[in-house]
Amino acid sequence: MIPLSDDHRTLRAPVMTYAIITVNLLVWILVQGAGFNEGQLAASVCNLGLVPGELTHLARLGTAIPLGDGMACVVDNERINILTPVISLFLHGGWMHLLGNMLYFWVFGNNIEDSMGSGRFLLFYLICGLAAAAAHILVQPGSPVPTVGASGAISGIMGAYLILDPNVRGRMYFPPIFLFRIRAWLVLILWFLLQLVSGLPELTTIRPEVSSGIAIWAHVGGFIAGVVLVKVFENPRLVARRSVLV
């Protein structure tokens, strides 16, 4: 399911939402070569992506993970690794990965920023992203596979939306041809349940280092963080003013 828009207007221009989207685009183009150079893309994912086993030191140094034709990501002990939970939030694995994340972020993020203010929103976004990274590491502490993407932080934004704007109607596209106007709470709860079901196989004790390639539990962790923390970061004055726009 793909969100297209919602019916809730904003009080102010979502400056921080624009800024975060811009940073993601610039990193994709300038650091990752916009995906046109396979070597540059693989190097960015390997060197700057979040590798749980590097942070926990549970992955054996020198373990190689294939990233493409003739390329592999090797587990190391570089100082930059400690920063990858934040850096990886601004990296992506392909155009569809980037555009899909930014679409979700735009639909849900501008309203959450409008309820928090720009500064609180940025801090909330980063904390949800770190919570998502922590959840991923907790479930796969020894994984040597690099993970990138803003989806964990965006999941936190979606969790916040569930609390602040559950009854707002939005337009959702269900491929290949279905388009619905539907309440936000129904979409968000369904999405969360799908993440839980998809993530259950990763909890098995049989070859726990193997995953689907998607950090499902990062989505779950980010979403829960958003639900729990939104009331800490909301600005009551802005929320009260927004209530008349519904």
Side-chain angles (χ1 to χ4, degrees), residues 90-105:
F90 300 94
L91 301 169
H92 289 85
W95 276 104
M96 293 305 295
H97 188 203
L98 171 70
L99 295 177
N101 274 347
M102 293 304 98
L103 176 59
Y104 268 80
F105 180 57

Side-chain angles (χ1 to χ4, degrees), residues 99-246:
L99 295 177
N101 274 347
M102 293 304 98
L103 176 59
Y104 268 80
F105 180 57
W106 168 251
V107 171
F108 296 107
N110 60 346
N111 287 285
I112 302 306
E113 179 181 351
D114 211 38
S115 296
M116 294 181 176
S118 298
R120 293 187 188 189
F121 178 70
L122 175 60
L123 185 58
F124 177 79
Y125 179 85
L126 293 175
I127 290 175
C128 287
L130 290 175
H136 179 54
I137 294 170
L138 182 64
V139 173
Q140 296 195 32
S143 173
V145 180
T147 301
V148 296
S151 55
I154 295 169
S155 297
I157 300 299
M158 294 167 67
Y161 200 103
L162 176 63
I163 301 301
L164 293 181
D165 297 312
N167 291 312
V168 171
R169 289 187 179 274
R171 279 163 287 281
M172 299 292 300
Y173 172 58
F174 291 81
I177 58 174
F178 300 105
L179 183 65
F180 294 107
R181 289 185 73 251
I182 192 170
R183 298 278 185 186
W185 68 265
L186 182 58
V187 171
L188 293 169
I189 289 177
L190 175 61
W191 179 88
F192 181 69
L193 291 176
L194 287 173
Q195 304 307 304
L196 283 177
V197 171
S198 299
L200 289 178
E202 294 186 18
L203 299 182
T204 180
T205 57
I206 302 175
R207 301 191 69 195
E209 76 280 3
V210 178
S211 74
S212 65
I214 301 174
I216 296 295
W217 287 98
H219 299 171
V220 173
F223 189 91
I224 292 174
V227 169
V228 171
L229 296 175
V230 61
K231 289 297 183 178
V232 176
F233 285 89
E234 72 172 5
N235 183 321
R237 178 179 56 83
L238 294 178
V239 171
R241 289 178 59 192
R242 279 175 53 79
S243 63
V244 303
L245 299 178
V246 178

Side-chain angles (χ1 to χ4, degrees), residues 50-124:
L50 168 64
V51 180
E54 288 182 340
L55 292 172
T56 63
H57 303 292
L58 293 177
R60 183 169 55 85
L61 291 177
T63 300
I65 301 298
L67 286 184
D69 188 20
M71 296 181 290
C73 183
V74 178
V75 173
D76 59 37
N77 194 28
E78 299 293 331
R79 291 183 179 181
I80 191 70
N81 295 346
I82 195 66
L83 299 178
T84 57
V86 173
I87 297 173
S88 63
L89 295 177
F90 300 94
L91 301 169
H92 289 85
W95 276 104
M96 293 305 295
H97 188 203
L98 171 70
L99 295 177
N101 274 347
M102 293 304 98
L103 176 59
Y104 268 80
F105 180 57
W106 168 251
V107 171
F108 296 107
N110 60 346
N111 287 285
I112 302 306
E113 179 181 351
D114 211 38
S115 296
M116 294 181 176
S118 298
R120 293 187 188 189
F121 178 70
L122 175 60
L123 185 58
F124 177 79

